[in-house]
Amino acid sequence: MRALSAGELLDVWEAGFAQAPTERALALLAVACPETSRDALAAISIGQRDAGLLMLREFLWGPKMEGVVVCPGCNGRLELPLNTRQMRSSSRGTRSGEISLSIAEYEMTLRVPTSLDVIAAAGESDPEGCRTLILERCLTSVLKAGAPVDSDTLPPEVIESVMTCMAEADPLADIQLDLTCPSCEHNWNAVFDIVSFLWTEIEAWAWRILSDVHTLARAYGWRERDILALSPTRRQFYLDMVGA
Ligand SMILES: [Zn+2]
């Protein structure tokens, strides 16, 4: 894996306007990991994909991230120091291959979800339909008292256990933050989604750098490509020179 150049990152950002989050995630990784095909990237687990995005964030802007959440107790804004390296290392790796699970009279084999499953479920109109379709795809075999049955016949408590098993087998697919508000001491769990976090950062960065390109192109008559090829330090030097 490698970092993206400013020009490459702008290209991914521009193409991402019309894309769903999963496609944006894969587009970023496709440029960062040129040795891996797009199909192969889509077939890795969500947790492995997100570990790759956390690493890409490190390459781009370092491991420290500043998150902001709103406390559900008092509506106060909480600044949240986060660290990509800590997230990657505090979590066990993904369990590869098929996983066997026995609950009551059910014997099941399952695998963890990948981006392909999320893309396949994108046509579902509600989250429940989405979850059901992903479950159907990831449950590779369901036996009840030794006889095959459809996954849609599973009782809710068995489905819950299957979901828990999948989450435990691919921990980085579901990063939960245990938060306590310093003002009102409300305690709650929030989900950290690296795809949306990183994309928000990329959007802010893109607007900044395009504004810098505009300023320098107007002042010096340079081409966009040449301005983007400057190191951030040199770009800032010239911006300071023109008083931007
Ligand atoms: Zn609070």
Side-chain angles (χ1 to χ4, degrees):
M1 178 179 279
R2 62 171 178 81
L4 277 64
S5 69
E8 287 171 335
L9 198 52
L10 269 183
D11 287 345
V12 175
W13 165 74
E14 191 179 353
F17 271 123
Q19 290 174 336
T22 304
E23 290 168 324
R24 291 171 176 172
L26 293 176
L28 285 167
L29 289 178
V31 184
C33 310
E35 69 287 354
T36 310
S37 74
R38 174 111 176 185
D39 287 350
L41 287 169
I44 63 174
S45 78
I46 301 295
Q48 285 172 312
R49 182 200 72 189
D50 288 359
L53 289 174
L54 286 167
M55 197 183 278
L56 178 61
R57 167 53 167 79
E58 268 168 54
F59 285 155
L60 289 170
W61 297 304
K64 289 183 183 168
M65 302 184 287
E66 282 301 326
V68 176
V69 285
V70 174
C71 168
C74 68
N75 281 329
R77 271 166 62 91
L78 236 79
E79 293 195 351
L80 209 61
L82 300 165
N83 191 301
T84 55
R85 218 168 275 163
Q86 223 167 34
M87 283 182 184
R88 289 196 296 117
S89 65
S90 66
S91 189
R92 297 184 320 278
T94 303
R95 259 178 81 177
S96 56
E98 291 208 316
I99 301 158
S100 299
L101 184 65
S102 301
I103 302 159
E105 72 255 69
Y106 291 95
E107 295 276 339
M108 294 164 283
T109 49
L110 56 103
R111 60 172 178 79
V112 294
T114 68
S115 297
L116 290 172
D117 300 313
V118 179
I119 291 167
E124 297 295 316
S125 52
D126 62 299
E128 191 51 40
C130 211
R131 194 171 93 135
T132 306
L133 189 79
I134 290 176
L135 204 67
E136 260 172 35
R137 289 171 59 95
C138 294
L139 273 168
T140 45
S141 151
V142 183
L143 300 176
K144 186 184 181 187
V149 291
D150 282 342
S151 60
D152 58 9
T153 62
L154 290 173
E157 64 275 15
V158 176
I159 291 177
E160 277 310 311
S161 302
V162 170
M163 301 301 280
T164 306
C165 173
M166 278 180 185
E168 284 172 359
D170 196 21
L172 278 175
D174 184 25
I175 300 175
Q176 299 273 343
L177 304 172
D178 180 18
L179 304 174
T180 304
C181 175
S183 306
C184 73
E185 296 187 350
H186 181 75
N187 180 255
W188 78 105
N189 268 1
V191 173
F192 175 77
D193 176 13
I194 182 62
V195 182
S196 71
F197 186 92
L198 183 55
W199 196 260
T200 304
E201 285 191 318
I202 290 171
E203 277 180 330
W205 168 88
W207 287 112
R208 268 198 318 274
I209 202 156
L210 287 177
S211 160
D212 292 349
V213 168
H214 167 75
T215 304
L216 293 176
R218 198 163 59 170
Y220 295 104
W222 294 339
R223 292 176 307 174
E224 181 194 60
R225 196 175 55 186
D226 296 331
I227 297 169
L228 292 177
L230 291 169
S231 70
T233 311
R234 283 203 195 183
R235 204 179 301 129
Q236 191 55 51
F237 174 82
Y238 290 114
L239 285 167
D240 290 346
M241 293 295 281
V242 298

